[in-house]
Amino acid sequence: MPAALVCFEPTCRAQYPTSEVIYNCPKCGGLLEAAIDYDKEDAKLWKDRWRKRRLTNDPLDTSGVWRYREMLDLFGGGFENVVTLREGNTPLLSGPKAASYAGLDRLVFKHQGFNPTGSFKDNGMTCGVAQAVKLGMKRVACVSTGNTSASMAAYSSAAGLDPIIFIPNGNISFGKLSQALDYGAKTLQVEANFDQILALVRVLAERLGIYLLNSINPFRIEGQKSIVIEMMDQRDWKVPDWIVLPGGNLGNTSAFGKALRELFELGLIDRLPKLAVIQAAGASPFYDYIRQEDRSQFPTVEKPETLATAIKIGDPVSYPKALHEVLTTGGVVEKAAEQEIADAKAVIGACGIGSEPASAATLAGLKKLVAAGTVRPDEDVVAVLTGNVLKDPDYIYKYHTGHLDDPHGARLKSSFANQPIVVPNDADRIAALLG
Ligand code: F0G
């Protein structure tokens, strides 16, 4: 049976062919997810097959997404529409300083910032763009806090499509904005926040026949499953106790949970790790939801505020999916303050690893979860760094020179500052300084 789009709402579960250009269930408005009819017998051969593909030079095999294509078989048997920039293949890096900062015996980062456009979005975008090509779409669009737009611009341009990106004016880092310009996207800076622009773009996509590539698009979520599949492959299928990740629109949380469920159902892993989702305190509606008694409504934050602009989102589009995945894994949702994120980011940097601010929410949140006894010091933890250190150099420079202000203008402490020093052109004085 070919793959289908299935409504995520348990009371609906309506099914649609993958050839339909829909993002929500036409019957009930619920989110859609891709359903693949897996061959469980064949799945027994996959681990070995995936390992062998690492030895070839075939473009699909050298992609850290398409190497696992049996779990992304969405296009009716062929992968000829795929454009790969060799996404994925991101390393597991050990961060001993970060581990002791969090109070853990050891800590491993899976660094998605090693992707072609510097963030985890590439894992999903290669899949979303393949579907756009398959559907014969010419124009693609997204609203973004910066990384989705950079990724969409690159992949759609590589595929010969026309990318149009919508970004909140003045609210994304220059690194990310520059990428979209460089990759040739028509770039519209809208005087509104992310959540407002998403509503706008959905109307425009419908009216103008443009394919929407936000994470509401189920094909993006499918591609992002590969982050977890690759992680397990790199760990020789040894499941960690915890996977920690930052949460904004909650697409990645949805993708990780779906990947874990499918790997478990196929017998490729023997248990589920717990998901720990960390939000920025000024943009933490999911954190609020998990703690409130009334479960009937998902709260929103009208004016989300955080310097971690990637996760400055007040009305996450994938709420229901993310909730399901966190509950299924017995996971948790935590939040981190601006100061906590800034210090954690400097510690990740001092490990020689580095990340953008949103990614550092993982370490900041972990430190709190260990202090609260939720995560034990001896547990096996993988934290996912979602974006590259060079995405937001302005933030770094301000932190290390003691000029980083929170969104309300209050000066943050630069406890781990590494100030650049201006010196005269004088060997003696420099030698004296260096001791
Ligand atoms: N980390 C980074 C670096 C991000 O760019 C994002 C999301 C997230 C974490 C949160 O992931 O939305 O799946 O929960 N960035 C989106 C964008 C919203 O437009 O680039 P999520």
Side-chain angles (χ1 to χ4, degrees), residues 44-80:
K44 290 183 183 151
L45 310 171
W46 292 354
K47 287 184 186 173
D48 199 39
R49 197 181 294 164
W50 292 340
R51 259 314 146 87
K52 287 198 178 115
R53 284 183 185 151
R54 288 198 199 181
L55 300 173
T56 83
N57 287 321
D58 179 289
L60 286 188
D61 291 353
T62 51
S63 158
V65 173
W66 299 106
R67 180 177 306 130
Y68 306 103
R69 56 190 171 271
E70 284 77 2
M71 291 193 68
L72 305 170
D73 196 359
L74 301 157
F75 311 105
F79 295 92
E80 62 280 353

Side-chain angles (χ1 to χ4, degrees), residues 19-30:
S19 53
E20 284 199 29
V21 184
I22 46 173
Y23 313 101
N24 284 88
C25 175
K27 272 198 193 134
C28 77

